[in-house]
Amino acid sequence: VVAGSLALRNYLGVRDLLRADGSLRDQYSALKGSIASRVNNSDQYVEEKSSFLSAILARAGLSDEERRLIENANQAT
């Protein structure tokens, strides 16, 4: 991954906020469990957690445009 790239900032933003906020981490864990219990398609799984992740990325400082690009990449095909 290229230093400073959107992909890296996406990963690190989510990682750092989840490490710092136990409540947020618990919410994300519960969401993932809920989605996994009813979805059997990895693309759908990623898409369904996308809005939660977008909110985390907003807190991490990613712009609306950057979050839109990430959300578009996470849409099930």
Side-chain angles (χ1 to χ4, degrees):
V1 175
V2 177
S5 69
L6 182 56
L8 182 60
R9 291 176 32 244
N10 175 6
Y11 172 78
L12 294 177
V14 171
R15 183 201 69 183
D16 292 347
L17 281 169
L18 292 178
R19 282 182 174 175
D21 187 332
S23 175
L24 188 63
R25 185 175 51 249
D26 291 345
Q27 290 173 42
Y28 185 51
S29 176
L31 174 65
K32 289 173 51 168
S34 172
I35 294 168
S37 71
R38 60 186 165 72
V39 171
N40 61 1
N41 175 306
S42 61
D43 290 337
Q44 187 68 30
Y45 172 82
V46 170
E47 183 175 331
E48 288 200 29
K49 63 183 188 155
S50 186
S51 64
F52 187 88
L53 288 171
S54 184
I56 292 175
L57 293 172
R59 287 180 52 185
L62 274 71
S63 71
D64 291 343
E65 175 63 16
E66 290 170 324
R67 292 191 328 272
R68 185 187 64 74
L69 289 169
I70 292 166
E71 285 183 40
N72 287 345
N74 289 336
Q75 295 301 305
T77 54

